Amino acid sequence: MRIKIAYKLLIVNLAIILILVLSMQAINHLSNENVLNNFISDIESKMLDDIANRITAEYAVNQNWNDITSKPIMWRSAIFNQLKKYGPFFDAPSQNRRSLENRPPPPKLFDHKNRPAPPSYFEFKRDMPPKHITSFVDRISLLDAQEKPLMPASTTTALMLNRKIEFNNKTIGWLTLNKKAQKK
């Protein structure tokens, strides 16, 4: 059975169209990924500058790193507070979490009438910082003037950005940001 020339042309044209569509998709994907990575890098650079300014202000109070290095919660809260101005996606966890004193007494066993409904999943997640914020904070390190770690980053990826922290025209430390870990 011989294939007519019209069918051969149709198959060739469909193959060419398929190759063109796939190559356009690949080029579009690579272009968008590059633009997005540049955009994210610019934002992270601005955030690192703002955090460096905030850390400089913290240093200026006592003119040493003791407050920040002795209280890791102060280090993280200084970063979270600085990130708040970047919008609702960078909100820090609320500081007024429910304490043990403010909780109502536990319900009596088998008291089905007066038992409160269990908290939903979202109520527990409300006080947690978003994962992308925690990831950003875990990549930040504070180094002293001799570049020895005072508050090391939790991640051990390669260095991406660093900022000199100066006070009275003297280098007092460095703020570094590691690269994001690649997803496998």
Side-chain angles (χ1 to χ4, degrees):
M1 173 172 147
R2 297 185 72 190
I3 299 176
K4 293 183 180 179
I5 191 140
Y7 292 128
K8 288 180 183 178
L9 286 174
L10 179 65
I11 292 170
V12 168
N13 282 335
L14 288 176
I16 290 172
I17 290 171
L18 182 65
I19 291 170
L20 287 174
V21 167
L22 291 176
S23 61
M24 285 177 14
Q25 287 292 343
I27 291 170
N28 190 20
H29 173 73
L30 293 174
S31 173
N32 287 343
E33 187 175 12
N34 191 21
V35 168
L36 184 62
N37 286 339
N38 288 341
F39 176 72
I40 290 171
S41 294
D42 289 345
I43 290 176
E44 287 180 342
S45 177
K46 288 176 187 172
M47 290 191 304
L48 200 62
D49 289 339
D50 289 345
I51 293 168
N53 291 338
R54 171 70 181 212
I55 298 299
T56 304
E58 296 287 337
Y59 179 89
V61 173
N62 294 332
Q63 298 190 5
N64 62 34
W65 294 116
N66 293 341
D67 278 350
I68 292 177
T69 57
S70 65
K71 301 172 191 163
I73 192 73
M74 187 174 178
W75 162 250
R76 290 180 77 83
S77 69
I79 294 171
F80 282 135
N81 288 335
Q82 201 57 35
L83 294 178
K84 274 185 180 180
K85 72 180 196 176
Y86 285 93
F89 297 109
F90 292 99
D91 279 345
S94 63
Q95 297 301 320
N96 51 357
R97 296 181 182 197
R98 291 187 292 174
S99 65
L100 290 175
E101 302 89 45
N102 297 335
R103 290 187 182 170
K108 296 177 186 173
L109 280 176
F110 305 113
D111 185 12
H112 297 292
K113 293 178 185 174
N114 297 325
R115 183 171 29 173
S120 72
Y121 169 78
F122 296 107
E123 287 182 278
F124 284 120
K125 295 299 269 181
R126 174 178 52 211
D127 289 339
M128 299 294 288
K131 194 170 232 168
H132 61 280
I133 296 302
T134 308
S135 147
F136 179 79
V137 173
D138 289 343
R139 294 169 35 218
I140 297 176
S141 298
L142 176 64
L143 311 174
D144 65 5
Q146 291 76 33
E147 299 185 21
K148 294 178 186 164
L150 296 172
M151 299 298 290
S154 301
T155 59
T156 56
T157 56
L159 181 67
M160 186 171 106
L161 297 170
N162 64 348
R163 294 291 180 267
K164 186 188 300 188
I165 303 174
E166 294 182 326
F167 181 70
N168 292 337
N169 295 325
K170 180 182 170 192
T171 300
I172 56 171
W174 295 86
L175 199 60
T176 64
L177 179 67
N178 294 348
K179 287 184 180 180
K180 264 187 165 179
Q182 295 295 325
K183 292 181 182 178
K184 294 182 179 181

